[in-house]
Amino acid sequence: MDNINYNLPDSGFEERAKELPFVFVYGTLKSTGSVRGMMSLVDNEAKAEIIGKTKTTYPDYQMMDLGAFPGVVEGGTKHIQGELYKVNDWMMGKLDMIEGVANDFYKVKKVDTDLGKGWMYYLDKEYGQDLGTNLDTRYTDRIEEVDNTLIWHN
């Protein structure tokens, strides 16, 4: 990807990257993502290195199918499978822009995974309810449940 000079909105990404330079991704940003994958965002300034495949330590989540990508909400009873990446502040800013953090689409929180802590993008549970999105994963073929863990398939 060419080095693009994004005008990144102030979403707190610089402080988050300094505090904890890891992100946990579970959808189209996974290395198996057919849409883009994290490594397609790497350029001269934005850096990412995969740490590995992992899942959330605690079963506190639910995943919903939003069509082209998934959303995770708190208050569920499932683990989420994904990948942990080490990123720099520029990549964190690009991710915030893609995920709409400055516009309050996704929120960001620290999560524990089997490989360590990372920032995860998630939706307010009310968002899914506002859309009328069914949080029951039985009605989508893109979310698989294995051993109480939800896995997104592109």
Side-chain angles (χ1 to χ4, degrees):
M1 181 174 180
D2 293 331
N3 187 15
I4 298 171
N5 185 12
Y6 292 106
N7 183 14
L8 298 173
D10 182 11
S11 59
F13 68 90
E14 291 174 300
E15 294 81 19
R16 284 200 322 276
K18 286 177 189 168
E19 178 187 342
L20 181 67
F22 297 93
V23 294
F24 172 73
V25 299
Y26 53 82
T28 61
L29 291 171
K30 292 190 306 185
S31 59
T32 57
S34 61
V35 175
R36 65 176 148 244
M38 175 76 77
M39 299 313 289
S40 72
L41 301 175
V42 170
D43 61 26
N44 291 338
E45 293 179 343
K47 306 295 180 199
E49 173 188 346
I50 189 165
I51 303 303
K53 183 177 169 182
T54 188
K55 69 178 183 177
T56 56
T57 303
Y58 305 106
D60 298 336
Y61 307 100
Q62 183 59 281
M63 184 182 286
M64 60 181 137
D65 185 342
L66 297 174
F69 53 90
V72 165
V73 295
E74 295 180 287
T77 59
K78 309 293 181 192
H79 297 277
I80 302 297
Q81 180 182 291
E83 296 171 346
L84 190 67
Y85 284 84
K86 183 173 184 179
V87 299
N88 66 359
D89 60 344
W90 189 250
M91 180 62 82
M92 188 90 64
K94 284 174 80 170
L95 293 172
D96 278 11
M97 187 180 68
I98 290 166
E99 304 293 0
V101 172
N103 298 323
D104 281 337
F105 182 64
Y106 277 99
K107 307 228 179 287
V108 187
K109 70 174 280 182
K110 240 186 269 187
V111 296
D112 292 306
T113 75
D114 295 343
L115 295 178
K117 291 183 183 294
W119 297 105
M120 179 179 78
Y121 295 91
Y122 71 100
L123 297 169
D124 282 333
K125 191 168 188 175
E126 293 77 29
Y127 181 82
Q129 293 167 345
D130 289 346
L131 288 178
T133 304
N134 189 340
L135 296 180
D136 189 338
T137 58
R138 293 177 296 181
Y139 302 111
T140 177
D141 60 354
R142 302 220 252 181
I143 300 172
E144 177 184 13
E145 182 176 347
V146 178
D147 297 329
N148 203 40
T149 301
L150 298 175
I151 306 162
W152 173 261
H153 297 285
N154 289 315

